[in-house]
Amino acid sequence: MQLALAEAREAAMAGEVPVGAVVVRDGRVIARGHNAPISGHDPTAHAEIVALRAAAAALGNYRLDGCTLYVTLEPCTMCSGAILHARLDAVVYGAADARTGAAGSVLDVFADGRINHRITVRGGVLADHCATLLRTFFAGRRQQQRAVAEPLRDDALRPPDTAFASWPALPGAVFQRSDLPGFDGLRMVWTAAAPAPNAATDAVAWLCLHGAAGSSTGFAAVAHALAAAGERVVVPDLIGFGRSDKPKREAVHTPERHRSWLRAWADAVLPPRIILVVRPADDALADALVPALADRIVGRWCLPSRAPQPEDAAAYPDRGHAAGPRAVARWPVAAVGDLQAWSVLLAPVGDDAPALDAQVRHAVEYFRA
């Protein structure tokens, strides 16, 4: 194994993943090899294959009866197949490979009773030395990649402000936070309109929660009407939507993570009681997030569906920016139970100003009562 480690170090010096192998027969090393797929432009040039080829040439036979292969990393499925075809007696490896190992870590090719050749396998020989060599190599490679990496574009996580120039104005001031628990530096943006100081009003907020097809812009009319009625109204863009940062990997956008983000933000920003304002078409997202706020929601006001508007697309000029909506569209249906158990629904309202103002006054009286 020490000789195999020496081969692995040669691979590292050549810029290859440091894996080395030797073939031994009757106590004598008959072949050596190390990883060379990059320099050889050969996807099969793993250390084991290189060593097996050299051993077969040395013996003048593709069958390597009586031979033992020593390799610093657990063989993959390709190399394990080649080892079986070569009819080796034994394989001894150093570090286990939790990602592609085929000698017991991910698969166990050698233990399959349907294969007509048995090979003795032993792992863990000088495993720490072998694993340390690999870790050191990959740490150095990551450092090199960081050194030459281009700086993150300003618009990588968020569109420029000009993308929102056509958005209808929301009442109040615009706020943002990126220091909340679990946010990992991601920025969340919201607009909040606060009334004049009032103990009753300060204890409750109207939270306009958009869905997968929307953003804060869809609540402009009702937010203005609520603010005009003296209510505290808060209109966020969830992470991945609207003005907030938009991680471009869909795997980031899970129901659990979005619930965690929403709860951390609500604990930092919202008063103890919340009246939730949603639209039916947005229930897929809103309902999935309800459990994060269930202990604070005292009512739910359902607005009518809203057709997508031209300004909505402005938030997603890059396909990567739309990772959130794409991921949410595949979320399983949230099992939140009977919404009546935790909320009071009023009849849907229209967005025309007179009717909306009247409905807002009625809604305020209803929920205050």
Side-chain angles (χ1 to χ4, degrees):
M1 190 61 74
Q2 289 287 7
L3 294 174
L5 275 166
E7 289 290 324
R9 294 186 188 100
E10 285 194 32
M13 287 188 291
E16 304 276 0
V17 175
V19 180
V22 299
V23 179
V24 176
R25 188 181 192 191
D26 297 329
R28 181 173 60 92
V29 174
I30 62 171
R32 304 168 184 242
H34 57 256
N35 266 6
I38 299 173
S39 59
H41 309 294
D42 181 0
T44 70
H46 288 195
E48 300 95 311
I49 302 295
V50 174
L52 291 177
R53 287 171 177 163
L59 296 178
N61 192 340
Y62 77 95
R63 292 289 176 85
L64 303 180
D65 299 310
C67 293
T68 297
L69 174 75
Y70 292 80
V71 61
T72 57
L73 182 65
E74 181 182 355
C76 67
T77 52
M78 176 183 71
C79 295
S80 298
I83 290 166
L84 286 165
H85 283 299
R87 299 294 195 269
L88 272 76
D89 283 5
V91 174
V92 179
Y93 68 85
D97 186 347
R99 292 188 176 183
T100 63
S105 291
V106 178
L107 304 172
D108 197 344
V109 173
F110 302 109
D112 194 323
R114 295 168 294 180
I115 296 175
N116 64 354
H117 181 66
R118 302 269 75 79
I119 291 179
T120 300
V121 179
R122 179 185 174 193
V125 176
L126 296 182
D128 289 343
H129 294 76
C130 298
T132 297
L133 183 58
L134 286 160
R135 283 196 296 268
T136 301
F137 173 81
F138 284 114
R141 175 174 284 185
R142 287 191 293 270
Q143 186 174 4
Q144 290 174 350
Q145 291 172 341
R146 285 194 292 268
V148 300
E150 294 183 4
L152 194 66
R153 297 196 331 264
D154 290 341
D155 62 348
L157 283 174
R158 66 187 72 109
D161 291 341
T162 54
F164 308 106
S166 63
W167 277 31
L170 287 160
V174 177
F175 300 89
Q176 63 182 47
R177 291 284 296 271
S178 59
D179 60 342
L180 297 172
F183 274 46
D184 296 323
L186 291 172
R187 184 185 73 170
M188 184 167 170
V189 179
W190 70 96
T191 301
N198 180 294
T201 301
D202 290 347
V204 65
W206 297 70
L207 173 62
C208 299
L209 189 62
H210 68 78
S215 61
S216 59
T217 184
F219 292 98
V222 72
H224 277 288
L226 284 167
E231 296 297 305
R232 178 185 296 274
V233 57
V234 183
V235 192
D237 284 311
L238 300 174
I239 289 177
F241 299 83
R243 300 161 297 176
S244 294
D245 283 356
K246 302 175 178 66
K248 293 189 175 183
R249 289 193 302 114
E250 292 183 33
V252 172
H253 298 279
T254 64
E256 295 76 18
R257 186 172 280 119
H258 272 271
R259 282 194 285 267
S260 174
W261 286 334
L262 182 61
R263 183 68 197 210
W265 172 79
D267 287 345
V269 171
L270 298 180
R273 294 182 296 159
I274 298 167
I275 300 170
L276 192 64
V277 184
V278 296
R279 295 182 182 273
D282 292 341
D283 280 351
L285 177 62
D287 285 358
L289 299 183
V290 161
L293 304 174
D295 60 325
R296 300 172 67 171
I297 295 173
V298 295
R300 179 176 184 265
W301 190 17
C302 188
L303 303 180
S305 299
R306 170 181 175 270
Q309 302 297 308
E311 62 265 22
D312 293 337
Y316 309 103
D318 184 308
R319 174 174 167 77
H321 290 146
R326 287 198 303 271
V328 171
R330 293 195 293 272
W331 282 5
V333 176
V336 297
D338 183 2
L339 296 178
Q340 296 285 357
W342 57 265
S343 63
V344 178
L345 281 72
L346 297 182
V349 299
D351 278 345
D352 56 292
L356 184 57
D357 289 342
Q359 282 284 15
V360 164
R361 288 194 297 272
H362 175 61
V364 170
E365 292 172 0
Y366 187 95
F367 283 111
R368 290 296 179 199

